[in-house]
Amino acid sequence: MSEPIVSSSWQALGTTVGLVVRDARSHDAARRAVEDELAAIDAACSRFRADSELAAVNAAAGRPVRVSPVLMEALAVALRAAAITSGRVDPTVGRALELAGYDRDFARVRDSRVRRIRVAPVAGWRVIELDRDRGTVRVPAGVRLDLGATAKALAADRAAERAARHAPGVLVNLGGDIATAGAAPRGGWAVRVADSHRAEADAPGQDLRIASGGVSTSSTTVRRWRRGGGVAHHIVDPRTGAPAVEHWRTVSVAAANCVDANIASTAAIVLGPEAGEWLADAGLPARLVSVAGAIETTAGWPPERAVAA
Amino acid sequence: MTNGGEAPQSARSRARDAAVRRTRAIVVGVTAGAVALSGVFSVVAAHAFKGRQLHAATATATPASDAARPSGRRVPGPDAVPPIAGDPAPLQPPEQPPATPVPQPEAPAPAPQVSGGS
């Protein structure tokens, strides 16, 4: 007899949420858990909500701001990402993203009037002060934080853990950031990696099975927009303050959790040609697709044929 | 008859000399007045624009480093290095790497979840 696995999808945090649950009876409770977790993350970490905690921190002009445990964890994750990647993944890129044109929800960025792309130096993650004892965070005036590189993956991990309290096993897909918790179905969780999380089934990509942990994909082919005579994308190189030079168009990474996978995939885009060696040294299975469509894999990622450019 | 002609000439000379003296006195007076008024106006002007000298002194006292600072907003360094900087946990690989799917003869499972850029 086959195992009753059910799935559902809906929109949240400006992207698509996918939920796969072992045991159909537990789906509704698991979904409520996911929805509650995503609402908490959105209220804490959104750069586009004027009433979010992050907006308050960015507007504090250098004053310490008391924050919730959710934002404190999200900031700690962002700082760890910066430390591990030597600043390639840095939460202080908020101002740089704004100047590049990504200053509102992305659906409105695409439709906005054409203007010139401007570049701003990035202050660097070391200017952020977290006081865990007092529960406060302070950033210097003029520095704007963006947690886009880590908060969505953190949300996926937290949502999967929370949903797994109601089901024997769950997979949460938050706009391509995939987290699992509990026991996997027989044969593993079915995952496909592609340039875009909205890719059709016949789009270039690769089908996989994962037993646990998370998978994340970063790509410069999505969230792109035109400004003046150039094209910008959403992955900023903190060393320059400009969108990262495109060597890899898409990088997918598997790790013990979604946060680690997402840190690695984002850093790989920024690192460029060095990324393959960096991922291999870390023992992280990864699939890197160059701008021309050539594929490299690391650390046991199953090989495949080259995809179309 | 020379004497008879000298008297009227002498009177004219005296009158001319007197006119010259008066003219010289007027010129000297006007010049002195102009100099005096210049001084008065200078004092008045100095009192009317007291801030100028103070402003100049402030500008002179500005450190060279400030003058050379870019016009953009300066970001001060942190008062304390975040605690996470000390010993961040390294990225953790999965327990097993992803695997190529093996066809399952049993009932169809849900479509695979797509991990792609967003």
Side-chain angles (χ1 to χ4, degrees):
Chain A
M1 183 175 173
S2 62
E3 189 175 33
I5 298 176
V6 296
S7 66
S8 62
S9 67
W10 67 97
Q11 296 293 309
L13 273 61
T15 191
T16 306
V17 183
L19 172 65
V20 186
V21 180
R22 288 182 58 197
D23 183 2
R25 293 167 301 180
S26 59
H27 172 269
D28 291 351
R31 174 161 173 166
R32 281 194 296 274
V34 172
E35 289 173 337
D36 288 348
E37 186 59 43
L38 299 188
I41 289 282
D42 195 38
C45 303
S46 174
R47 184 165 62 93
F48 306 115
R49 279 181 55 167
D51 62 344
S52 75
E53 289 187 80
L54 185 66
V57 171
N58 282 337
R63 295 186 303 276
V65 177
R66 185 177 296 278
V67 298
S68 69
V70 174
L71 183 55
M72 184 62 75
E73 181 182 0
L75 289 167
V77 166
L79 291 178
R80 171 175 171 257
I84 290 173
T85 62
S86 300
R88 264 66 168 189
V89 180
D90 191 313
T92 62
V93 297
R95 182 68 179 144
L97 280 167
E98 290 175 354
L99 290 178
Y102 195 178
D103 54 0
R104 67 204 82 179
D105 186 76
F106 188 72
R108 295 168 60 202
V109 169
R110 280 179 309 208
D111 301 333
S112 62
R113 288 186 306 170
V114 173
R115 62 184 181 186
R116 180 178 297 181
I117 295 172
R118 291 184 293 158
V119 174
V122 175
W125 59 281
R126 292 178 187 277
V127 303
I128 302 172
E129 297 175 30
L130 288 190
D131 189 329
R132 293 173 186 272
D133 294 334
R134 291 188 174 89
T136 61
V137 58
R138 191 187 84 82
V139 297
V143 174
R144 296 182 66 79
L145 303 181
D146 176 80
L147 301 179
T150 49
K152 190 154 62 71
L154 175 64
D157 279 334
R158 287 173 57 110
E161 288 295 332
R162 194 160 165 176
R165 298 173 194 159
H166 306 279
V170 300
L171 178 152
V172 173
N173 180 4
L174 189 51
D177 289 343
I178 291 177
T180 65
R186 191 188 319 177
W189 298 106
V191 171
R192 179 174 177 80
V193 293
D195 285 335
S196 169
H197 75 284
R198 292 192 175 92
E200 300 292 334
D202 58 351
Q206 183 180 9
D207 287 313
L208 305 164
R209 293 290 186 272
I210 61 170
S212 62
V215 175
S216 177
T217 297
S218 296
S219 178
T220 62
T221 65
V222 296
R223 294 193 194 238
R224 297 172 69 89
W225 62 96
R226 290 194 170 277
R227 282 292 181 277
V231 176
H233 61 78
H234 67 294
I235 301 176
V236 167
D237 184 341
R239 295 169 296 186
T240 63
V245 174
E246 295 179 76
H247 180 82
W248 308 110
R249 77 181 193 211
T250 301
V251 177
S252 302
V253 178
N257 54 63
C258 190
V259 163
D260 281 13
N262 197 31
I263 292 170
S265 62
T266 305
I269 293 285
V270 176
L271 278 168
E274 309 165 36
E277 186 177 350
W278 180 74
L279 290 164
D281 288 346
L284 292 166
R287 174 182 185 265
L288 305 95
V289 184
S290 75
V291 171
I295 295 176
E296 289 185 18
T297 60
T298 65
W301 187 283
E304 59 159 351
R305 293 174 302 167
V307 298
Chain B
M1 298 303 149
T2 307
N3 287 343
E6 286 178 352
Q9 186 175 10
S10 181
R12 284 197 301 273
S13 295
R14 283 196 295 273
R16 186 184 61 215
D17 291 345
V20 169
R21 282 195 296 272
R22 282 196 297 273
T23 301
R24 185 177 297 153
I26 290 171
V27 169
V28 169
V30 168
T31 302
V35 171
L37 282 175
S38 296
V40 170
F41 289 149
S42 298
V43 171
V44 170
H47 284 279
F49 302 101
K50 285 181 180 175
R52 292 198 172 215
Q53 186 175 3
L54 183 62
H55 178 77
T58 302
T60 303
T62 302
S65 59
D66 283 2
R69 184 178 297 162
S71 59
R73 192 189 297 272
R74 190 173 67 91
V75 178
D79 294 335
V81 176
I84 195 71
D87 187 20
L91 298 173
Q92 293 295 315
E95 293 178 3
Q96 302 173 29
T100 301
V102 176
Q104 299 286 328
E106 301 168 352
Q113 290 294 311
V114 178
S115 176
S118 65

